[in-house]
Amino acid sequence: TGTPIGKSVNDLHGLLLFLQIDPYWVETWWKLSIYEPFCFGNKQPILEVLRSILWRTCKKDVLNQIDIPGQQEETHWLQFSPVEEHFYRRQHIDISRDVVGRLRKYALTMKLS
């Protein structure tokens, strides 16, 4: 359906309701059979339900059917204006110093340049 699972596993109940997956579209069954076990660390019930309704096709399994063109790589060189070049060079220097400073906190014996 393309329905996203956004906030919690409870979002799946709306999907099961929409698909009318029996008996889990009934909220009581959803809570007792799927949601509560999941909340207590038992993922098996939800995995079994999802395996029974979800379908995933790997690209390798259908590659001969989808006619994907070969990949190619293109490189485009850009010329910055003097202002842009100054800005990005300054960004690089500042961020590099920041990263080296943060790394030194974790690796006092490591040589960083």
Side-chain angles (χ1 to χ4, degrees):
T1 66
T3 304
I5 310 300
K7 295 182 181 175
S8 76
V9 72
N10 218 15
D11 291 349
L12 285 173
H13 179 251
L15 181 60
L16 297 176
L17 177 63
F18 173 75
L19 296 174
Q20 296 183 350
I21 304 297
D22 197 38
Y24 307 110
W25 65 273
V26 177
E27 189 171 3
T28 303
W29 280 105
W30 160 257
K31 283 186 178 178
L32 293 174
S33 303
I34 306 293
Y35 184 69
E36 288 179 4
F38 182 83
C39 290
F40 289 106
N42 183 2
K43 297 176 184 171
Q44 198 59 36
I46 198 167
L47 291 175
E48 288 175 14
V49 169
L50 292 176
R51 280 188 196 118
S52 71
I53 62 171
L54 296 178
W55 173 24
R56 172 139 175 101
T57 302
C58 295
K59 185 167 59 172
K60 68 179 177 70
D61 296 332
V62 294
L63 198 55
N64 61 342
Q65 301 170 28
I66 55 178
D67 196 29
I68 295 178
Q71 289 185 343
Q72 57 188 47
E73 184 176 315
E74 293 183 25
T75 302
H76 298 271
W77 294 97
L78 303 175
Q79 293 293 320
F80 289 137
S81 72
V83 171
E84 291 170 325
E85 187 169 342
H86 173 75
F87 174 78
Y88 288 114
R89 192 170 307 282
R90 194 74 237 160
Q91 289 283 81
H92 176 75
I93 290 168
D94 293 345
I95 291 170
S96 296
R97 284 183 184 150
D98 184 48
V99 167
V100 169
R102 289 172 189 246
L103 287 174
R104 282 204 171 109
K105 291 179 184 176
Y106 299 105
L108 296 174
T109 58
M110 190 182 306
K111 184 179 185 308
L112 301 172
S113 57

